[in-house]
Amino acid sequence: MFAYPTPANRNFPLAHIKQSVSPPPHTSSSVNDDGKFIFDEYKTHKDITTPIQHWQLRNLIRSPSPRTVIHPSDEAVHMFNTKTKEDTPILTDLPFTPTTIDSGYGYIAMAGQRGMAMIKDMNSDWSARFNAGPGMNNSISLAKTINNEIRVMVCNNDQTVCILSVPNMEKLCTLRMPAAINHTSVSPNGRMMLMVGDNGIVYLYNITESSDYQQISSYKASEEPALSCAWNQSSEKFAVTSQDGNVSIWDITQQNNVEPICRIGSTETRKTRKAPRSIQFSKGPLDLLAYSEHVSTINIIDTRTFETRQVIRLAPNDMDYHITGLSFSPDNRSLFVGMEDSIIELSVDICSRRRFAAAGIV
């Protein structure tokens, strides 16, 4: 990514500064913001800190199991239990402060500045450290391929994506791209990989049975940087966030899929604050897409029609709270949202979602 503020200079865009902020206006996109899927009360777990190391990239929390959230805390990684309220260190004395984390398949992966990265088995003492390149790591992600192999992908700011097998940590390949890549996402069926970069382009790769990565298509998401991406559970649709405030969704099953099937704008009017920075589809039959904006607001989309959205503001109208990431729990019952000084817990209305065409968060 471009040059960015650091925790040392604290030059983040106006976090926690009181302003005269009006309620969000309706977006100009075709989605209807009439979802009524949340009660007035939600759980705020205070004093659970998640330091932001990159002001534009915010993938800093993950839920590896129901009622648990993994988050960085300076040079450590903690697991917070929302039931017992215990925030337990699972990795300490790291040689870097994580800029990005991921979890899955029994592992947790984290990466930081100057190319440093680490992966740990959550069920044993095994861990491995490695370097993904000379620049800052923009994203790290875990995935399982069609051969049932677990791999870790690291996007370095030197315009490369480093791919290693887990747990033997063999470097399988390094993809050299035309621009810095900000995020990768492997489809749930293990056959395709997305990459999104500073040039606003989405790269779609095929993962062969012989472990080769072959580009099969590319899409233009924005004239501004594309920040994050995600696949739906069926591996048929993917969503991309971009700095201009839009979320674009493509359907790869359509013959003419060059253009997205829909593009959803923000209810926020202030340029920096409307950028969607973290995005995730729900698992199973719930058909929801959640994404967080730069400050204060999260959005939940009904992906059966892409016509209904619920917009949830997690800060008073006269204040802005920076969001560090979001994550569905594996059982889809909870949606966790990270703040700099707390974790917000929302409960998904499972029964309504399975019963009716539209439902959401309660």
Side-chain angles (χ1 to χ4, degrees), residues 76-355:
V77 174
H78 289 212
M79 181 181 290
F80 176 65
N81 188 305
T82 62
K83 184 177 181 179
T84 66
K85 314 301 182 186
E86 295 178 339
D87 192 32
T88 307
I90 55 177
L91 277 171
T92 58
D93 300 323
L94 293 173
F96 58 90
T97 300
T99 57
T100 171
I101 67 170
D102 195 16
S103 66
Y105 317 104
Y107 296 94
I108 176 173
M110 65 224 73
Q113 301 183 20
R114 296 184 296 279
M116 293 180 288
M118 184 175 181
I119 186 166
K120 183 186 185 305
D121 188 330
M122 296 179 64
N123 300 308
S124 73
D125 293 333
W126 179 87
S127 65
R129 297 179 183 179
F130 60 99
N131 193 287
M136 191 187 84
N137 292 318
N138 294 330
S139 172
I140 191 168
S141 55
L142 292 158
K144 186 174 285 189
T145 67
I146 54 176
N147 294 328
N148 216 32
E149 297 175 354
I150 299 172
R151 295 178 184 174
V152 59
M153 288 72 62
V154 186
C155 307
N156 192 267
N157 214 40
D158 70 344
Q159 302 181 198
T160 64
V161 177
C162 180
I163 302 173
L164 300 91
S165 61
V166 178
N168 62 15
M169 304 310 294
E170 176 188 358
K171 182 178 285 190
L172 300 175
C173 66
T174 299
L175 301 177
R176 303 188 181 279
M177 306 303 295
I181 298 299
N182 294 319
H183 198 258
T184 64
S185 180
V186 172
S187 59
N189 64 13
R191 296 179 178 274
M192 294 167 287
M193 183 175 72
L194 290 173
M195 296 186 288
V196 296
D198 274 352
N199 55 5
I201 294 178
V202 185
Y203 300 94
L204 179 61
Y205 274 66
N206 181 50
I207 305 173
T208 69
E209 293 187 4
S210 59
S211 299
D212 291 330
Y213 289 79
Q214 301 172 345
Q215 183 176 343
I216 54 178
S217 188
S218 64
Y219 310 86
K220 186 67 174 180
S222 174
E223 296 300 325
E224 298 188 43
L227 303 174
S228 191
C229 56
W231 288 92
N232 73 339
Q233 187 66 21
S234 66
S235 302
E236 295 177 345
K237 297 181 180 70
F238 64 82
V240 174
T241 71
S242 49
Q243 183 68 31
D244 58 11
N246 289 317
V247 173
S248 304
I249 297 99
W250 278 267
D251 185 342
I252 63 171
T253 65
Q254 293 187 352
Q255 287 186 341
N256 184 15
N257 62 7
V258 176
E259 295 296 324
I261 58 173
C262 68
R263 181 172 280 118
I264 300 169
S266 173
T267 57
E268 174 63 76
T269 58
R270 297 168 296 172
K271 182 176 174 60
T272 302
R273 291 163 180 77
K274 69 182 180 179
R277 305 204 180 278
S278 182
I279 191 165
Q280 188 178 13
F281 283 91
S282 63
K283 295 182 176 64
L286 298 189
D287 300 320
L288 295 173
L289 172 65
Y291 60 93
S292 59
E293 297 185 5
H294 186 78
V295 294
S296 305
T297 302
I298 63 169
N299 301 260
I300 299 95
I301 304 292
D302 177 3
T303 63
R304 293 170 187 167
T305 64
F306 293 99
E307 296 176 354
T308 306
R309 169 171 62 178
Q310 181 183 7
V311 181
I312 304 170
R313 185 173 175 86
L314 300 174
N317 284 337
D318 63 344
M319 298 186 72
D320 282 336
Y321 294 165
H322 278 282
I323 297 176
T324 64
L326 59 73
S327 179
F328 280 105
S329 61
D331 61 3
N332 283 320
R333 293 183 178 274
S334 300
L335 176 63
F336 299 106
V337 182
M339 302 291 193
E340 290 182 291
D341 58 0
S342 63
I343 288 176
I344 306 295
E345 181 181 0
L346 303 140
S347 297
V348 179
D349 187 355
I350 300 290
C351 294
S352 294
R353 191 59 190 166
R354 288 175 175 168
R355 221 178 341 198

